[in-house]
Amino acid sequence: MNLLHTVLPAILFSTLPATAVFAETSPQSEVITTADIDWGYLNPLRGDKSPGAANLWGDRTQNVPTGMLVKFNKGFSSPPHIHNITYRGVVIEGKMHNDDPDAATMWMPTGSFWTQPAGENHITAANGEDNLIFLEIDSGPYLVKPSSEQFDNGERPINLHQSNLVWLDQTDMKSINGNSAEITSLWGSNKVGELGGAMIKLPANFSGTLTSDAEEFRAIVIKGSLNYQSVETPNSKGLTAGSYFGSSGKFSHNVTTSAQGAMVYIRTDGKYHVAEK
């Protein structure tokens, strides 16, 4: 062996700071179970008269993308109001109505999806015994303002009842490998580098992987439950409705379902693949 090949590595490692040689890499993934959720109020000034709220990522009080859970008591009905930013909502539990103040009531059950454009006057109501939604914003902070400040930002709302979702399987989508998983696109784009949202439906006793290669990959359990594992979470975690897992970069999430199956909302700016074992 050439003496240079022996000495040079020794010199390099002896001169590098120990923290550079032995530094731990940052985790690529995160997992939040329902037991980990720290609940507060959507409007702290109203106390327990306000819907409960909990951030899953981001911070709803700052100008950053945020995903949160919001829960409503049965019979809740807001006064007409607007928001300063656009949000998207997915019903996890209960029955929700979100529309113009004069619109006929349409109760949306679990799996339903809606968008609320910034500046548009509307009301929100809940009619289940327990009512829980996932709500996301691309910028913030999330504010409630009076109807007198309404404006038209050019967007139009969507109210998509769960019964109107169109599900596609592996014969339609390259992102699915397995006879039983299905997917429906909800908003945005499926191009790399552009954000979009979709829902995947995993059948009873599904066992497989969700593999992503994206800067942002986020998944929220909407219905049913999963057992979850990854290289960074070697001990299986039970994820019920309202739980969250996400990753950045190339990463594989191993999931299995029980007899209920599961429905999972996906937010990502890259490609992902659902593969059944």
Side-chain angles (χ1 to χ4, degrees), residues 59-95:
D59 183 342
R60 61 186 180 272
T61 68
Q62 303 298 318
N63 186 19
V64 293
T66 302
M68 68 183 98
L69 300 176
V70 184
K71 58 183 177 182
F72 304 84
N73 293 328
K74 183 177 182 179
F76 173 87
S77 184
S78 72
H81 64 282
I82 70 162
H83 297 284
N84 59 313
I85 44 83
T86 295
Y87 78 79
R88 306 177 194 95
V90 183
V91 182
I92 296 176
E93 185 178 7
K95 297 177 181 179

Side-chain angles (χ1 to χ4, degrees), residues 223-261:
K223 183 179 180 180
S225 61
L226 301 171
N227 283 325
Y228 176 93
Q229 286 180 293
S230 74
V231 293
E232 294 184 346
T233 308
N235 297 324
S236 179
K237 287 192 174 185
L239 302 184
T240 55
S243 300
Y244 155 70
F245 60 94
S247 60
S248 179
K250 192 170 184 179
F251 199 85
S252 290
H253 306 270
N254 303 312
V255 297
T256 60
T257 66
S258 63
Q260 295 178 282

Side-chain angles (χ1 to χ4, degrees), residues 4 65 87 125 130 143 194 249-250 262:
L4 181 63
Y87 78 79
D130 297 292
L143 301 176
E194 297 182 10
K250 192 170 184 179

Side-chain angles (χ1 to χ4, degrees), residues 43 156 167 243 276:
N43 183 352
R156 295 296 174 259
W167 295 98
S243 300
E276 191 171 8

Side-chain angles (χ1 to χ4, degrees), residues 1 7-8 18 23 53 61 71 77 87 135 152 157 201 206 214 266:
M1 176 181 289
V7 175
L8 186 57
T61 68
K71 58 183 177 182
S77 184
Y87 78 79
L135 187 155
D152 186 348
K201 185 162 57 175
F206 174 91
I266 303 291

